[in-house]
Amino acid sequence: MRLLPHPATENIELTEVLRALSDPVRLEIVARLAVAGEMTCTVAGDDLGVHKSTASHHYRMLREAGVVLTKQVGRLKYMSLRREDLDRRFPGLLDSVLNSVLGVGRP
């Protein structure tokens, strides 16, 4: 298993998180991760209505902003929300976003 490059918790910037969450496709990915926990990129991208390369771009944006943690196991990449890191940096932000999308804070 190897982790892809991510910003350290103290380097996660609010503007980058908000930029990542401002796109409807990325917001849908985050909502799916909030419900499912950890998912492969393939499963997370099912039925998004975007090409594989576009989905990869969205995954990278979320990872580089510090919203998701991506690890590679063999040929598969797994994503999960960095909920604890985001809550530490910006308390309540993720719950507010998820509440607006899913109607709940912590699924």
Side-chain angles (χ1 to χ4, degrees):
M1 176 189 81
R2 76 177 176 101
L3 286 177
L4 298 178
H6 299 82
T9 303
E10 61 274 7
N11 293 333
I12 298 174
E13 296 181 22
L14 180 61
T15 54
E16 295 304 312
V17 171
L18 293 175
R19 182 176 293 122
L21 296 175
S22 69
D23 183 274
V25 172
R26 291 192 291 268
L27 194 55
E28 175 63 25
I29 294 166
V30 168
R32 290 177 182 193
L33 290 170
V35 172
E38 184 176 72
M39 310 173 80
T40 65
C41 290
T42 303
V43 172
D46 283 348
D47 303 321
L48 284 178
V50 297
H51 291 167
K52 210 171 178 182
S53 61
T54 303
S56 292
H57 166 76
H58 289 305
Y59 303 150
R60 182 176 53 81
M61 293 288 292
L62 289 167
R63 178 176 48 82
E64 290 178 352
V67 177
V68 299
L69 178 73
T70 307
K71 62 183 178 183
Q72 186 165 354
V73 180
R75 293 179 52 174
L76 296 175
K77 290 182 182 170
Y78 292 86
M79 289 189 306
S80 58
L81 286 179
R82 292 180 66 179
R83 181 181 282 281
E84 288 181 17
D85 293 336
L86 290 170
D87 286 346
R88 192 173 306 123
R89 288 285 290 149
F90 315 110
L93 175 67
L94 190 57
D95 284 338
S96 294
V97 169
L98 292 172
N99 187 44
S100 71
V101 175
L102 301 172
V104 295
R106 285 189 185 260

